[in-house]
Amino acid sequence: MRPAGKGPLDSLYFDYPRFPATRAPELDGASSRHPVVIVGAGPIGMTAALALARYGVRSVLLDRKDTFNDGSRAICIARPSMHILERIGAVEPFLAKSLGWRFGRSYYRGTQIFRLEMPHPDSEKYLPMYNLQQQYIEKFLHDAVAACDLIDMRWQSDLAGIAPRDDGASLDITSPAGSYRLDADYVLAADGARSPIRTMLGLRLKGENYEGRYVIADIRMDHDFPTERRAFFDPSGNPGGTVLIHKQPDDIWRVDYQLREGESEQDALREENIRARVSAILADIGHDKPWELEWWSIYSANTLCLDDYRHGRLFFIGDSAHIVPIFGVRGLNNGLADADNIAWKLGLVLNGEASDTLLDSYSPERRGATLDVFANATKSTRFMTPPTRGWRLAREAALSLSLKHEFPRGLANPRQMQPYTYSASPLTPFAGRDAEFASGPVSGSAAPNARLADGGFLLDRAGYGMTAILFCDGRPSADQSALIARLGELDKRFVPLVIDRSGTSRDLIRDNDGSIARLYAAESGTVYLLRPDLHIAGRWKQVATDEALHTARLCLGATAP
């Protein structure tokens, strides 16, 4: 909702473009068969299209609207998502516009009780978190889409029907220029929380709905507090409730506040009540300067997902597959990981570099990630919006104790998003090898980055196929060299990253101070095998050729899991 007298797209900071409906070639008799059709051109759909284009795969990207999503939606981009944006060639404008952060504060009745500090070692290329309004997220992704010849972007194109088949699907599309049919080898449903595709197929999300309700109010104000996440429990501006405040570019601030029990949503959403409550909250933080109201809405926390994210050749990604609470900024970031996961697998399959058995791993991996999000987000949600009187009493006890004691203060941490570890994935067959390592990143986890002697970063040198990180003293061993050759035969995109722990070889990656080896708990002979999404498929203290090759074949769909 916007203030009285303003239209739905009258923003204080963003000029919404209007995209015309182009005439579909199918209306003039062109072939309607496409490798991939993506329904929904939000951040998840556009990321999937760009990730497929990285593998040379063409796609048709449909959206029924004529502009970007309006209002305040996703605003926090986590470090792993920045790596995804980098791999699809879109990260630069995000870095130029967004506000990076790594700290947060939690308060109880005006007293600070918790200080969040997300780790940011020198080895990492990106900060843990970046704030950016979804309008800019969509604009920057759309700029990349518009520059890509492999993506056929069609605005004002509404899905009227879908008929799945064994070899793909037929989609009926309506547009201002007329109605037509598209045939697709594969379909990605990125059509959001109210997914029409989900409804057409008779599928429904399952899980829990939480009673706690929050109002989102975006405002513009000149306020000098640094970019940190702030959470206020039982503040005087919202007694008995919770308030979250995030800074965004263009002097826009997002204020989320919890409605009181029994408070009418209809009353809460009236503009005069929004202004009164926000004014009281701003007085709490000492802001007495003028401010402007941009937009507001209401939401409640849910943990809902499909039983299976795959239905034949149709895959659900993002909110069409799952709805997660906002606490811990998991919604957008979880969806971007969905898009990245299905895109590299589908890219290899459509290029004939992997069998379609590889696609069987999508739903177990990404639904597993969703359930992990639920487990963490549920803890946060129960603290932020206690579902019962017992939970409310427990929270009040924890907060009261936090004023004088350290042990309960961590409960006020909303548990920021972390990348999921695919240790139980069918593509991670030798996770038991982790027992040989005293530390280091485990099988299935996202590979950590490392700063190189030349100022660059290790993962910048990874490829779009399998990547091996091999540690040696001086030169690769005969076993390592043989493994490199065999992996190159399996995967034409394979990239070996050879780390010279002695620092004597000019043509290898030198680890003069041993920091990369320590990060990976590696000795001479250690091998890490990375998937195209830079998750660790397996690690071996010493070369185990048969196991490494079997793992690579699984990741290429060449061996049934």
Side-chain angles (χ1 to χ4, degrees), residues 32 43 84 131 155 202 299:
S32 65
I84 293 173
N131 282 359
W155 292 98
Y299 68 87

Side-chain angles (χ1 to χ4, degrees), residues 66 105 108 128 184 191 205 222 265 283 315 323 330 408 410 449 474 477 510:
D66 68 349
R105 302 170 191 262
Y108 177 55
D191 51 347
L205 302 176
D222 179 14
E265 288 189 13
F315 298 85
I323 306 296
R330 296 173 173 90
N449 217 342
S477 67
R510 289 181 289 175

Side-chain angles (χ1 to χ4, degrees), residues 26-38:
E26 288 79 8
L27 289 169
D28 299 316
S31 172
S32 65
R33 189 79 185 184
H34 300 274
V36 182
V37 172
I38 303 170

